[in-house]
Amino acid sequence: MKKTSIAFCAVMIAAFGLAFSQSAAEIAKKVHDLPEGNTSSATAVLTLIDKNGKSRTREVASWMKKEGEIKKEVMVFRTPKDVAGVSYLSFDYPDNSDGSVKDSDSWLYLPAMKKVRRVSGSNKDDDFQGTDFTYDDIGDRSLGKDTFAILGEETVNGASCWILEYKAKDTSAKISRRVLWIDKSNYVVQKGEHYDRSGNLKKKLFCENISKIDGYWVIQKMTMENIQTGHKTIYESKDNKFDIPIEPSYFTVSALEREILK
């Protein structure tokens, strides 16, 4: 009986070890490097809802192209009239060989001012154009900006997930830590929590309508809710296309200035 108990414990310990056989950093890298094609395009509807339930809707078109290890992405607001033409261009780079961060280059074009302004790294935790998503949320946040830890496991939306903590190395960051529930089967985020620099819960992320399109995993609906203000943003993507021809000229500051992307 004693031998049986010892053998059972050994099996349980081995099973527990297998569950955590990947390090937190390895899981984070697989999430970051999830295949998304060499090019892509999509249209998204953004619904902004205030604490009183009043909503506003915006439509955004986006294009992405990879050139070597550099990921270039441009987003353009189509509607409503007061934001039509607002454009955002970003170049995301891999971290340096020594593990240090190579921050992305980003530009925002405001048609009312006929001016492009640079978005600095210190602004990446700012909300993007009145939404509850930050510039980092809509881009590829560098892995070098965080440390990682596995906090546990939980089933979300029927998927067995790791609970993965991303803790900002920059102590002055507006978002000090992110906790994401990562699907073990495909490394897609199922939900998340964002905490402010005081350690208080600030925002919750809910992911829905996750499916494969042209062989790539796509989260077609994301809701980011600001717990502190009662405001939330619903992001719903459609017309997702991958590995299609896209003009390199789309990914230039001059394209923003000339307002050629509609």
Side-chain angles (χ1 to χ4, degrees):
M1 188 71 182
K2 192 172 182 180
K3 288 183 180 179
T4 303
S5 298
I6 293 171
F8 176 76
C9 289
V11 169
M12 292 304 295
I13 291 169
F16 185 81
L18 283 171
F20 291 90
S21 60
Q22 294 186 79
S23 72
E26 288 170 335
I27 295 169
K29 181 167 174 50
K30 287 183 179 179
V31 174
H32 183 274
D33 295 344
L34 205 63
E36 54 186 341
N38 290 315
T39 64
S40 67
S41 68
T43 301
V45 175
L46 297 172
T47 305
L48 286 64
I49 306 172
D50 67 19
K51 62 181 180 181
N52 299 315
K54 185 178 179 181
S55 65
R56 294 173 290 156
T57 301
R58 299 175 176 179
E59 185 177 87
V60 180
S62 66
W63 297 265
M64 183 277 291
K65 185 179 181 68
K66 290 183 179 177
E67 295 182 1
E69 291 189 288
I70 302 173
K71 178 182 173 181
K72 299 183 176 182
E73 190 163 13
V74 63
M75 300 175 65
V76 182
F77 284 86
R78 287 176 167 168
T79 62
K81 204 172 198 178
D82 62 330
V83 295
V86 171
S87 310
Y88 178 67
L89 172 66
S90 65
F91 294 176
D92 290 319
Y93 307 101
D95 288 343
N96 296 313
S97 57
D98 62 359
S100 60
V101 173
K102 181 173 174 56
D103 217 346
S104 59
D105 288 316
S106 307
W107 301 265
L108 183 69
Y109 175 69
L110 302 171
M113 301 174 63
K114 298 290 182 185
K115 186 177 181 180
V116 172
R117 72 173 179 86
R118 195 77 176 255
V119 179
S120 69
S122 61
N123 296 126
K124 295 298 173 68
D125 268 346
D126 289 346
D127 291 340
F128 177 68
Q129 289 299 295
T131 73
D132 296 287
F133 293 92
T134 66
Y135 286 90
D136 262 344
D137 292 332
I138 65 173
D140 277 352
R141 180 177 170 86
S142 169
L143 291 172
K145 290 184 177 181
D146 300 306
T147 59
F148 311 99
I150 299 173
L151 303 183
E153 301 179 3
E154 191 176 357
T155 299
V156 179
N157 299 330
S160 179
C161 298
W162 289 291
I163 306 172
L164 192 65
E165 178 188 61
Y166 294 63
K167 193 171 184 179
K169 294 178 181 178
D170 181 359
T171 56
S172 66
K174 294 174 185 175
I175 301 298
S176 65
R177 60 190 284 260
R178 296 166 172 84
V179 179
L180 302 180
W181 279 253
I182 310 298
D183 190 329
K184 291 182 183 180
S185 68
N186 55 21
Y187 298 93
V188 174
V189 176
Q190 291 285 338
K191 72 172 187 176
E193 295 177 347
H194 294 196
Y195 294 80
D196 64 22
R197 61 167 65 107
S198 297
N200 299 313
L201 178 61
K202 183 175 183 180
K203 297 188 293 187
K204 285 187 175 183
L205 172 68
F206 304 93
C207 301
E208 302 173 75
N209 299 348
I210 300 170
S211 61
K212 268 192 173 182
I213 300 177
D214 296 334
Y216 301 103
W217 287 106
V218 178
I219 303 172
Q220 296 178 76
K221 182 178 180 181
M222 292 184 285
T223 301
M224 186 72 84
E225 182 178 357
N226 190 316
I227 303 303
Q228 298 177 3
T229 66
H231 194 280
K232 66 181 177 181
T233 302
I234 302 172
Y235 172 100
E236 296 177 275
S237 70
K238 58 182 181 179
D239 301 327
N240 294 275
K241 298 175 184 175
F242 296 89
D243 298 321
I244 57 174
I246 299 178
E247 286 293 327
S249 60
Y250 277 29
F251 307 94
T252 61
V253 173
S254 63
L256 305 187
E257 294 173 324
R258 288 182 286 134
E259 299 185 39
I260 66 172
L261 303 172
K262 303 294 184 182

